[in-house]
């Protein structure tokens, strides 16, 4: 990482009461199943859900350069929950009164410095439906670069250190596999799935499917 | 859904103490950031992590039929954390002494009835690195079907009701968007990202990239 900075270190891990937490809570959901049997499920919840009912936004960004192949910017940052540097698309919680689109434009600007054009807004999806009520939307954004243009400044909050890495789209899957092999790094699941989906389609290995890919 | 069954209902939501939970916990992680400043982060953890350090496995399955286009089986089930029916790939927690591959074969058999061939085992990835320490691996599996073969029986646990839906791979993205528009349904984030990655690659809209797709 940045050589003048220290590697962050976890110094303590303590049980936290749901009532004492500001960002995340733990709930026991009682429900009646399809046969009428009462059951329960343990659920991690976010305490910061927007008025639109969605927690977070991620920005699937495409950087278009006049002379280089299309690429994407991933952000690398230390994430205390996993105790490693994560490789993700820019993302963040949606503020109380924000739409997913507004949050995407804001987070993209904060984390990468770039302003882009929103080209698609995905549906509300579940972060991890076996464990949490948290939801997100994937917003696809295009950024048109100019020849020789310097990277714009980020607008990071105090304490944030987010490294930007530009990866050619056709190398994304391979690069994520390489990152995954490094001890200090872990790739965010959703970005990996997107790259795996691209890789799978590119392989065109499945007869009926490859004809669709090349049409 | 199945007409003879009732729609599950959430009847209570209560705060849960981390010490009282069996499956999920809440932790406060204290850490020192890159500038040496002490900070903390609230983290949802799983209490069931396997000896290999990975929590869960998901099965990106491909059904190969002699005369129909390649398809995939998604599973639809009521998930109390989101209070809706979720659309996901088969998945589950890895048992204490299991590898991801063993868990994938087991879960595929339990949830779909099918036995398949593991064709790829993905790296350990983070479920949602801003919120949880939970990790998973995506295992890709191929199932060769026979002409006119009936669907095998599932091996579900007591209380489980998992509907199987076969979707042609080239329609997966569109079908997920359609499910997302129904009130009672939500698509799991990672499956959506995979489908979005396939869709993105198939579009071949980005000049330098489309040449890769069609090569």
């Amino acid at each position: 990482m940045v050589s003048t900075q220290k590697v962050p270190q976890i110094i303590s891990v303590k049980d936290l009461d749901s009532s004492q937490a500001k960002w995340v809570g733990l709930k026991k959901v009682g429900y009646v199943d399809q046969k009428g049997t009462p059951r329960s499920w343990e659920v991690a919840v976010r305490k910061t859900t927007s008025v639109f009912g969605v927690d977070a936004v991620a920005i699937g960004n495409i950087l278009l350069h006049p002379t280089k192949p299309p690429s994407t910017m991933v952000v690398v940052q230390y994430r205390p929950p996993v105790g490693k540097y994560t490789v993700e698309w820019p993302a963040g919680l949606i503020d109380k009164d924000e739409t997913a689109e507004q949050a995407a434009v804001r987070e993209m600007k904060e984390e990468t410095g770039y302003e882009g054009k929103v080209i698609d807004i995905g549906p509300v999806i579940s972060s991890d439906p076996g464990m949490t009520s948290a939801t997100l939307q994937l917003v696809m954004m295009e950024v048109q670069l100019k020849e020789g243009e310097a990277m714009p400044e980020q607008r990071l909050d105090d304490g944030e250190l987010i490294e930007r890495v530009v990866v050619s789209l056709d190398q994304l899957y391979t690069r994520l596999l390489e990152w995954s092999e490094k001890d200090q790094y872990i790739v965010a699941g959703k970005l990996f799935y997107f790259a795996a989906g691209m890789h799978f389609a590119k392989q065109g290995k499945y007869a009926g499917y490859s004809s669709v890919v090349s049409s």
Side-chain angles (χ1 to χ4, degrees), chain A residues 65-206:
Chain A
H65 188 277
T67 55
K68 295 178 189 170
S71 55
T72 191
M73 181 171 280
V74 298
V75 289
V76 179
Q77 65 197 296
Y78 183 79
R79 289 285 206 180
V82 286
K84 295 188 177 189
Y85 293 96
T86 58
V87 182
E88 305 169 62
W89 265 336
L93 295 177
I94 300 176
D95 284 346
K96 204 163 182 53
D97 301 320
E98 264 181 339
T99 64
E101 180 170 7
Q102 290 164 342
V105 171
R106 176 180 57 73
E107 286 286 350
M108 183 68 183
K109 179 113 184 165
E110 288 175 9
E111 296 196 359
T112 74
Y114 284 109
E115 291 180 51
K117 185 175 77 174
V118 170
I119 56 171
D120 194 39
I121 300 173
V124 177
I125 51 181
S126 167
S127 293
D128 193 359
M131 180 181 184
T132 175
S133 58
T135 55
L136 80 154
Q137 284 178 269
L138 171 63
V139 172
M140 296 298 294
M141 198 178 282
E142 237 176 49
V143 178
Q144 184 62 57
L145 306 177
K146 292 179 186 137
E147 193 69 54
E149 186 185 12
M151 266 199 205
E153 272 191 38
Q154 293 161 296
R155 300 180 177 190
L156 300 175
D157 288 337
D158 176 44
E160 278 192 316
L161 179 71
I162 298 182
E163 192 193 0
R164 299 169 289 180
V165 182
V166 175
V167 181
S168 170
L169 279 174
D170 64 5
Q171 292 171 10
L172 181 61
Y173 181 71
T174 311
R175 289 289 302 278
L176 295 184
L177 290 182
E178 287 168 3
W179 261 305
S180 294
E181 284 176 11
K182 296 185 190 181
D183 267 356
Q184 293 283 331
Y185 291 79
I186 189 165
V187 174
K190 285 178 271 285
L191 175 60
F192 179 77
Y193 270 61
F194 188 94
M198 278 204 296
H199 174 74
F200 180 82
K202 279 163 60 182
Q203 278 186 312
K205 186 179 151 191
Y206 301 95

